[in-house]
Amino acid sequence: MLGLMQHGALTVDKFLGHAAAWHSAREVISRDAAGIVSRSNYGEIHALAKRVSSGLARAGIRPGDRVATMGWNSARHFAVWYGAANMGAVLHTLNPRLFLEQIAYIASHAGDRILFADPACAELVGQLLPQAPTIEHVIFLCGAAALPKTDYAATAFEDWVAGEPAEFTWGGFDEKAACGLCYTSGTTGNPKGVLYSHRSNYLHALMTLQTDGLALSARDSVLMVVPMYHANAWGMVYSAPAAGAKLVLPGARMDGESLVDLIEQEGVTFSSAVPTIWQGVLHYLKASGRGLGGLKRVVIGGSAVPESLVRGFRDGYGVEVIQGWGMTETSPLATISTPSAAVAAMPADEQVQYTIKQGRLMPGLELKLTDDEGNRLPYDGRTPGRLMIKGPTIVSGYFGGDGGDVLDEEGFFDTGDVSTIDAQGYMQITDRAKDVVKSGGEWISSIEIENIATGHPAVAIAAVIGVAHPKWDERPILLCQLKPGASAARDDLTAFLHGKIASWWMPDDVLFVDEIPLGATGKIDKKLLRQQMTGYTLPFEIER
């Protein structure tokens, strides 16, 4: 027996359509590379996105064709996002911070036909075009006056949409149709494409809108720091208009001063970004003596959140830190560290120990831990295992069939993370499987050591990698990038770690470097770090 309810395809055009119908005057703020702030609203963005759809149809774009963007968070980028996806094309976000070779591979592999780019990317686009022959047309996200001078044909966005009708019928296709395409970072082999469906993005947005998710409301002013080119901007491109929240798009300027300016000026109540961004904000606040206005909560993800960061925001500025975990393949948000009833009843200092975990599973998803042989492991908070995930917002395979069958016999996807799950249901990443330090047959969590070391007052960024050892296979070493003007010695760090980690986890060496390399999404690039440390040998032998 079937239910007697109306059917409505779960397609993402519904979100912006809802915002335009019921929150039309709610502002969308956009800041360009020059720092100029422009103001629009959901009604105007909705009309602009429809004009984008009309322009794409005129250019011969059909359902399933890939439309690429390369740029930072802006109102024009936002309009292109909806204009492409809502007419049935596949919105493909290119990360301008990747190496040219990676971008060329990704654009060619995807078969991108049209590229919308930030004017600041003009030189990069010129280098890309000879290597990405499928791209037929380049449109810069600017007006005619800001159109960069290039030796290749390009059009200003405002000229391109001029005269295009704002009447275009969105949707009308299967909710399982492809909606967006985002490639993994390619830390092992070539990047792989994750092809989101309208249905998966719709369901993901509903998951995140819950109180124990991002909890966005029409009363919020949302500063979307996480780039739109990174894993659906953590879904906020959908959840913010669905809620009718004010949306603040900061462009490329991610320094502490620029972000704090927007937080104060636009009454921001909610924001999200990777830890390195928020560490920069904290450093700026301490140096400047400024505050965070009405900011109430920040979601931090992308890499593990140090306890010092949680306490810095909570104790210094009254801002709640919520940690989220996910990956490109999970749409991305899958777990979030909002407190359960039992955790909320604990004293504040005890709650912090749960905030720094990656959190509890979003509804509709399944997790399991396994050993290397695929056997399930207990949820005791102590036993680490391979983290496997399953659900309607989780990848089932990569674009073009790359990587082959990526699911196990039960339909679970291997995240590549090593983690524990405790009795409260909180998951905690202990390492990436490729980054875990294996010493004497036991695993040492590089993430846990890094998070503690980052709490040292002189340390800005910390990274732990494994180094070959004749007896123990591998031993950890700690690399530290110090805060400007700060100083520290090896013994300072080992003394700081003493008593906070097992003695046999203690790094065999502490090195101070000018800069710890970060990848295109703000995470520590351990692949490059290990390359930089090629030839390094431990200076002494320590019995453990």
Side-chain angles (χ1 to χ4, degrees):
M1 181 182 293
L2 299 179
L4 298 176
M5 305 304 291
Q6 296 181 26
H7 174 72
L10 305 183
T11 52
V12 301
D13 56 284
K14 307 291 197 303
F15 296 133
L16 190 55
H18 174 80
W22 302 105
H23 305 280
S24 180
R26 197 61 161 134
E27 282 189 306
V28 177
I29 308 300
S30 185
R31 184 178 61 194
D32 65 17
I36 299 172
V37 173
S38 60
R39 298 181 179 274
S40 184
N41 57 51
Y42 283 124
E44 293 171 350
I45 295 293
H46 182 264
L48 182 58
K50 290 228 169 186
R51 291 165 63 197
V52 170
S53 297
S54 296
L56 289 173
R58 177 178 51 81
I61 297 298
R62 297 293 179 262
D65 286 346
R66 272 74 69 199
V67 174
T69 63
M70 182 192 292
W72 289 269
N73 299 1
S74 70
R76 292 185 179 107
H77 194 172
F78 190 71
V80 170
W81 187 297
Y82 275 96
N86 292 350
M87 56 93 71
V90 180
L91 191 283
H92 176 206
T93 51
L94 289 167
N95 184 344
R97 297 190 184 279
L98 293 176
F99 294 115
L100 172 63
E101 293 75 15
Q102 289 178 305
I103 299 174
Y105 172 84
I106 291 169
S108 296
H109 187 271
D112 295 330
R113 290 189 57 193
I114 289 182
L115 172 62
F116 292 84
D118 193 291
C121 298
E123 182 178 352
L124 177 59
V125 171
Q127 296 169 342
L128 169 65
L129 290 177
Q131 302 182 49
T134 62
I135 296 176
E136 303 165 11
H137 196 179
V138 176
I139 301 154
F140 283 108
L141 295 167
C142 63
L147 181 67
K149 295 180 179 180
T150 63
D151 57 5
Y152 54 88
T155 307
F157 175 81
E158 296 301 329
D159 289 341
W160 185 80
V161 297
E164 294 292 348
E167 293 78 31
F168 191 99
T169 300
W170 281 345
F173 40 78
D174 194 307
E175 64 184 20
K176 296 179 182 177
C179 177
L181 180 62
C182 186
Y183 278 69
T184 63
S185 58
T187 54
T188 55
N190 285 326
K192 297 181 180 65
V194 178
L195 190 61
Y196 306 110
S197 68
H198 279 262
R199 180 175 186 270
S200 69
N201 281 338
Y202 196 104
L203 292 174
H204 182 266
L206 295 185
M207 291 177 186
T208 64
L209 281 168
Q210 297 179 83
T211 302
D212 275 351
L214 302 181
L216 299 185
S217 78
R219 298 170 298 284
D220 277 311
S221 175
V222 175
L223 175 61
M224 196 167 75
V225 180
V226 60
M228 292 171 71
Y229 57 73
H230 180 52
N232 274 337
W234 297 358
M236 285 183 294
V237 286
Y238 303 121
S239 54
K246 177 179 177 179
L247 188 58
V248 183
L249 303 169
R253 298 172 67 171
M254 301 294 188
D255 60 282
E257 182 177 8
S258 296
L259 293 178
V260 171
D261 284 346
L262 283 177
I263 289 169
E264 291 184 336
Q265 293 165 11
E266 304 303 332
V268 170
T269 58
F270 175 95
S271 190
S272 60
V274 296
T276 49
I277 293 290
W278 292 117
Q279 285 168 339
V281 169
L282 273 185
H283 294 161
Y284 170 73
L285 292 173
K286 292 174 182 177
S288 67
R290 294 176 68 181
L292 287 170
L295 186 65
K296 297 176 181 177
R297 62 198 191 281
V298 296
V299 169
I300 306 181
S303 56
V305 179
E307 183 174 339
S308 58
L309 195 59
V310 175
R311 293 185 182 276
F313 273 101
R314 185 196 69 179
D315 301 341
Y317 305 95
V319 175
E320 179 187 10
V321 170
I322 303 165
Q323 182 166 188
W325 171 84
M327 53 200 307
T328 306
E329 291 91 339
T330 64
S331 293
L333 194 63
T335 68
I336 196 159
S337 67
T338 50
S340 64
V343 171
M346 297 176 180
D349 279 351
E350 291 183 28
Q351 290 187 40
V352 171
Q353 301 312 310
Y354 289 88
T355 303
I356 61 175
K357 295 187 177 187
Q358 279 64 52
R360 300 182 292 122
L361 189 64
M362 304 290 284
L365 306 179
E366 299 178 54
L367 285 179
K368 69 175 179 179
L369 296 178
T370 69
D371 60 20
D372 288 339
E373 286 70 47
N375 301 307
R376 287 185 181 246
L377 298 173
Y379 299 163
D380 58 11
R382 299 185 306 273
T383 306
R386 289 184 172 272
L387 184 66
M388 314 286 286
I389 193 166
K390 176 182 180 180
T393 58
I394 310 304
V395 71
S396 63
Y398 291 110
F399 182 66
D402 290 354
D405 187 359
V406 300
L407 306 181
D408 71 4
E409 65 280 358
E410 294 180 330
F412 282 83
F413 173 75
D414 188 344
T415 67
D417 284 321
V418 176
S419 75
T420 61
I421 301 176
D422 66 20
Q424 296 277 2
Y426 282 77
M427 185 270 290
Q428 184 168 23
I429 303 293
T430 59
D431 235 318
R432 290 291 291 166
K434 63 180 181 292
D435 293 333
V436 69
V437 180
K438 297 176 182 177
S439 185
E442 300 289 341
W443 287 349
I444 295 175
S445 171
S446 66
I447 291 176
E448 186 169 344
I449 300 173
E450 290 163 0
N451 283 349
I452 295 171
T454 304
H456 189 283
V459 176
I461 305 176
V464 170
I465 60 173
V467 175
H469 190 283
K471 179 177 179 180
W472 302 111
D473 295 328
E474 282 188 320
R475 289 297 303 159
I477 62 169
L478 172 63
L479 297 99
C480 296
Q481 176 183 323
L482 298 180
K483 296 175 182 176
S487 61
R490 177 188 184 278
D491 290 347
D492 296 329
L493 269 297
T494 55
F496 186 76
L497 293 171
H498 182 73
K500 298 182 178 74
I501 58 175
S503 60
W504 63 277
W505 280 26
M506 186 64 70
D508 281 15
D509 201 2
V510 179
L511 303 176
F512 298 94
V513 297
D514 293 335
E515 184 177 22
I516 288 178
L518 302 179
T521 57
K523 301 178 186 179
I524 295 172
D525 189 338
K526 291 196 175 180
K527 180 181 178 181
L528 179 57
L529 194 58
R530 282 189 285 265
Q531 291 174 354
Q532 293 176 350
M533 296 301 294
T534 299
Y536 169 86
T537 56
L538 292 169
F540 45 77
E541 173 119 3
I542 297 179
E543 289 295 329
R544 297 290 178 193

